Amino acid sequence: MALDASTFETLTPSRFISFTIPHPSFSNTPLRVAVLDSPLQPNDVPQVGAMLVPEGREIDWIFSTELGHLQLLLSSPEISRLILIGNNFMEGTLPFTPHVYHRPLECSLHLQGFEVWSKPLLLALSPKSLFKRGIPEIPILSYVDNLVSCMVVHQCAGIHVGEMLVEDVEIENGGGVLHHGREFRRRLRFKRMPNLIQTEICIVPVKGGDCLDGVCIGGNVGFVPYLKVLVHPYLGPMVAGLVLNSEYVAQRIQNGFKPKALCLGVGGGALTTFLRTQLGFVVMAVDSDREVLRVAREYFGLEESKFIHVVVGDAFESLKKLVEDEGNGKFDVIMVDLDSSDIKNGVSSPPVEFVRKDVLLAAKLVLCEFGILAINVIPPSRYFYDNLVSHIKEVFHELYKIDVGNGENFVLIATASPLVFLAGDCVNSFLMRLKSIIPEAYLKSITKI
């Protein structure tokens, strides 16, 4: 059915339309055009932006789904309508043939004079109100990330999170944690939040050694997880919060007890595994999706044992059960890494269900006297953040913050009791271990709210 050009004359909140047009240079390869209007109405003259889909990533959920398109639009809040243009390659269905992406030196659409031939199209797809001050210039936005190459190694669907994928990637500017400039990672992503990396870990070539000649994503050399470091941006700051009760944890260890952690939200299990293997915690980890946990075991190195107990269930219901069941004992730390399932207004964490006094009281009740609560926070608004801080302060004694530094995440750390010592004043083996595995910048950036 042919599109009516008048369809695009007005902005309709959250309207999404995609269609194909002939390629200006290759008649047998159509272009896909997707148009999305912001869920928010503009206060003044609307702004329209266009973006070229990176060549080779056309089937990536970031660019091929409405939810990915929405998150791209919300990352530029001044834009009222975002137009995506790219080669039309249909996304495969399960089971899939692995697709290897290698970043090209330059996009072929740019080479074919995109700015010239696209202008009439972009003007035709712009609302009438944009022409109040004459013929507008439509900015061409660029999508830039650190991806050098990637390959989807597994794809499946969970009962709660829906479709998910595991991908091996090579990135630039990864810090060269293991290989002096070349960095290989394994990622878990959900289709309902395609722009958000749920879990990211280091991976190393099966052949071992520092020589990376002939090693590439999609090549003949396989990769295995390397779990001695945390590379997901906010996990290091979450663990850094343990400096606040490090003296208490050290005393428990000296008295023959293993410290206990409760992880609400598992994903690929990077945090759960790290707390156990690097800091000696006994960990109880809760996740609502059994398929996510299967993926964590198979692809991200999560191993259950007498020291790691994984529970399939709702995080909030699990908290209530722990309050009622005193036989489990109390925890030295609770790590909360839960995101909202409603992403219509962007990614947010924790879910609104967590920002309740009864939930926070339950968390405090399962903490030991000098226990701490560490929360990964992605605030969708200033009100959300202030409301969360206010609720936590009503229940807990002291509240601290770490700015992750990526423009997105904060870590909030609440203490169950007033601290009776200054963090780091007493040198102990646990604190020394913490300082040896967590960047000093995180430890020094803890500020009281």
Side-chain angles (χ1 to χ4, degrees):
M1 183 176 68
L3 279 172
D4 185 347
S6 64
T7 301
F8 301 100
E9 291 181 354
T10 58
L11 288 166
T12 304
S14 299
R15 182 179 59 188
F16 177 78
I17 298 173
S18 66
F19 55 94
T20 60
I21 60 173
H23 196 291
S25 302
F26 306 106
S27 58
N28 61 339
T29 307
L31 294 177
R32 175 181 178 268
V33 180
V35 183
L36 177 65
D37 289 347
S38 172
L40 307 174
Q41 290 279 16
N43 295 324
D44 195 10
V45 177
Q47 298 293 316
V48 174
M51 181 182 291
L52 272 175
V53 175
E55 192 168 6
R57 297 180 67 180
E58 292 86 358
I59 62 173
D60 190 315
W61 288 339
I62 295 174
F63 308 102
S64 64
T65 67
E66 182 178 348
L67 287 173
H69 196 149
L70 174 62
Q71 290 178 45
L72 290 173
L73 189 152
L74 293 175
S75 66
S76 300
E78 73 281 0
I79 298 294
S80 307
R81 174 175 289 172
L82 180 61
I83 303 167
L84 292 186
I85 301 176
N87 294 312
N88 184 47
F89 295 112
M90 297 301 293
E91 181 187 355
T93 56
L94 300 178
F96 64 96
T97 301
H99 168 73
V100 181
Y101 163 78
H102 295 291
R103 184 170 59 192
L105 295 177
E106 191 169 359
C107 176
S108 63
L109 287 176
H110 273 303
L111 297 176
Q112 294 153 17
F114 171 80
E115 288 80 1
V116 175
W117 64 255
S118 67
K119 187 170 183 177
L121 171 66
L122 298 179
L123 292 175
L125 296 176
S126 297
K128 271 188 174 181
S129 54
L130 194 63
F131 294 81
K132 287 181 179 179
R133 300 170 185 169
I135 299 177
E137 288 292 327
I138 309 297
I140 308 299
L141 309 177
S142 297
Y143 182 85
V144 179
D145 63 9
N146 60 358
L147 197 65
V148 175
S149 59
C150 72
M151 182 180 75
V152 175
V153 297
H154 184 68
Q155 199 165 335
C156 60
I159 190 169
H160 290 290
V161 305
E163 287 188 66
M164 69 189 93
L165 60 80
V166 178
E167 60 186 356
D168 286 352
V169 305
E170 181 177 354
I171 62 172
E172 62 183 2
N173 301 321
V177 175
L178 299 177
H179 293 299
H180 311 294
R182 294 192 70 186
E183 197 73 41
F184 299 99
R185 305 274 177 88
R186 180 164 291 166
R187 293 172 171 175
L188 174 65
R189 292 196 288 139
F190 298 160
K191 190 173 185 178
R192 64 183 173 95
M193 289 178 285
N195 309 52
L196 180 68
I197 299 170
Q198 298 289 334
T199 296
E200 185 170 36
I201 63 171
C202 277
I203 52 175
V204 295
V206 173
K207 71 175 188 177
D210 291 331
C211 179
L212 295 180
D213 291 344
V215 175
C216 64
I217 298 297
N220 295 325
V221 178
F223 293 88
V224 293
Y226 181 85
L227 302 173
K228 294 182 179 181
V229 294
L230 293 172
V231 293
H232 213 165
Y234 62 85
L235 293 186
M238 289 184 78
V239 174
L242 288 166
V243 73
L244 294 173
N245 67 342
S246 62
E247 184 177 344
Y248 171 74
V249 172
Q251 289 172 354
R252 280 180 52 77
I253 294 171
Q254 288 172 7
N255 292 333
F257 298 99
K258 289 187 180 295
K260 292 183 63 178
L262 173 63
C263 292
L264 300 179
V266 178
L271 180 59
T272 297
T273 301
F274 189 85
L275 288 172
R276 170 60 207 144
T277 61
Q278 302 305 305
L279 290 171
F281 277 79
V282 174
V283 186
M284 178 178 178
V286 181
D287 200 284
S288 62
D289 201 303
R290 192 178 300 275
E291 187 69 0
V292 170
L293 294 173
R294 181 194 68 80
V295 168
R297 295 183 190 100
E298 190 169 340
Y299 292 93
F300 291 87
L302 178 64
E303 295 182 0
E304 294 178 68
S305 67
K306 65 179 181 178
F307 300 116
I308 295 181
H309 176 49
V310 177
V311 176
V312 181
D314 177 79
F316 308 117
E317 290 301 318
S318 296
L319 265 182
K320 292 178 183 177
K321 289 179 181 178
L322 287 168
V323 172
E324 297 166 359
D325 182 9
E326 296 182 358
N328 276 299
K330 303 221 171 187
F331 296 91
D332 301 289
V333 61
I334 299 175
M335 301 280 190
V336 180
D337 187 11
L338 302 167
D339 50 53
S340 174
S341 58
D342 181 7
I343 49 92
K344 292 179 182 176
N345 294 316
V347 177
S348 66
S349 177
V352 292
E353 295 89 342
F354 188 84
V355 192
R356 295 196 336 235
K357 190 172 183 179
D358 62 317
V359 174
L360 292 168
L361 278 170
K364 185 179 179 182
L365 286 171
V366 301
L367 281 170
C368 60
E369 182 182 3
F370 295 106
I372 63 171
L373 170 70
I375 311 168
N376 172 40
V377 181
I378 305 176
S381 66
R382 182 70 197 188
Y383 171 79
F384 178 94
Y385 178 79
D386 291 342
N387 189 46
L388 175 60
V389 167
S390 176
H391 275 74
I392 295 174
K393 283 188 168 183
E394 285 183 19
V395 175
F396 287 82
H397 283 273
E398 296 175 352
L399 184 60
Y400 298 81
K401 177 182 76 171
I402 302 177
D403 186 343
V404 175
N406 60 356
E408 186 173 68
N409 299 75
F410 296 88
V411 172
L412 293 179
I413 307 144
T415 64
S417 301
L419 295 176
V420 294
F421 57 90
L422 293 176
D425 273 5
C426 176
V427 178
N428 58 70
S429 58
F430 180 77
L431 180 59
M432 291 174 63
R433 176 60 180 160
L434 197 60
K435 287 183 173 182
S436 71
I437 58 177
I438 297 297
E440 188 177 3
Y442 294 148
L443 300 172
K444 288 185 174 180
S445 64
I446 301 174
T447 56
K448 191 172 183 179
I449 299 178

